[in-house]
Amino acid sequence: HRDLHSFPTRRSSDLFAVLDLDQPLAPQGFAPGWFDVVLGVNVLHSARNLEFSLRELRSLLRVGGTVILGEGSPPQAGKRWRLDFVFAFLRGWWDVSLDPGFRPRPGFLFPREWMKLLRHCGYASVTAFPGEEWFRGDCRGGLVVATK
């Protein structure tokens, strides 16, 4: 854990904060339309209701703002993998709302599933980096970037 005030490139306009993705964000002190970028690394997959959480994050972005998600990906459809067993003991791994069209299982999503869900939630220019094949490799992860 590093003190966020010690970042050498920190500007007065930067805001680093903890938020509860399962609750409305405005009452937590986050102003709608205020952010240029929202960054989440290995966190969105644990939101109880992904559609709700992604719409809430979108509301924080200015027009043209970007959400950047660093997420893992299962090795292949229909198979459990070791992270399912490691994270199974953490709150939020299994305790999620499932939706056959957008979130067919708990845990990580495939890049194409993230892209479909983000588009459904009103995001534009949704892209997975470095691409679907990379997510299937040993890394099993990457970035999903979308704009408002």
Side-chain angles (χ1 to χ4, degrees):
H1 177 75
R2 185 170 178 190
D3 181 3
L4 295 174
H5 297 288
S6 67
F7 278 93
T9 59
R10 185 169 165 79
R11 299 179 308 258
S12 62
S13 62
D14 293 346
L15 173 65
F16 296 87
V18 175
L19 53 86
D20 183 345
L21 291 170
D22 297 321
Q23 301 297 320
L25 300 178
Q28 296 180 58
F30 297 96
W34 196 81
F35 293 89
D36 293 311
V37 176
V38 172
L39 172 66
V41 178
N42 284 329
V43 65
L44 262 294
H45 65 269
S46 66
R48 280 197 180 122
N49 182 329
L50 269 177
E51 183 176 347
F52 168 81
S53 299
L54 289 170
R55 288 184 191 278
E56 283 290 303
L57 289 177
R58 186 179 179 279
S59 76
L60 298 182
L61 294 172
R62 291 181 177 152
V63 173
T66 303
V67 65
I68 303 170
L69 308 177
E71 287 287 346
S73 179
Q76 54 186 296
K79 293 208 173 194
R80 297 270 180 231
W81 60 316
R82 64 180 161 259
L83 288 182
D84 284 325
F85 299 108
V86 172
F87 292 131
F89 298 103
L90 299 176
R91 184 194 78 75
W93 190 256
W94 303 109
D95 185 23
V96 296
S97 298
L98 299 180
D99 179 328
F102 297 106
R103 187 186 209 163
R105 71 195 156 285
F108 295 116
L109 301 178
F110 290 106
R112 65 186 172 276
E113 293 168 330
W114 280 114
M115 294 169 67
K116 179 180 177 183
L117 182 56
L118 284 158
R119 286 186 188 109
H120 173 74
C121 292
Y123 291 86
S125 302
V126 183
T127 308
F129 294 103
E132 188 87 21
E133 290 304 315
W134 177 265
F135 278 78
R136 289 188 202 150
D138 293 336
C139 175
R140 293 201 178 105
L143 297 177
V144 180
V145 180
T147 56
K148 179 174 182 179

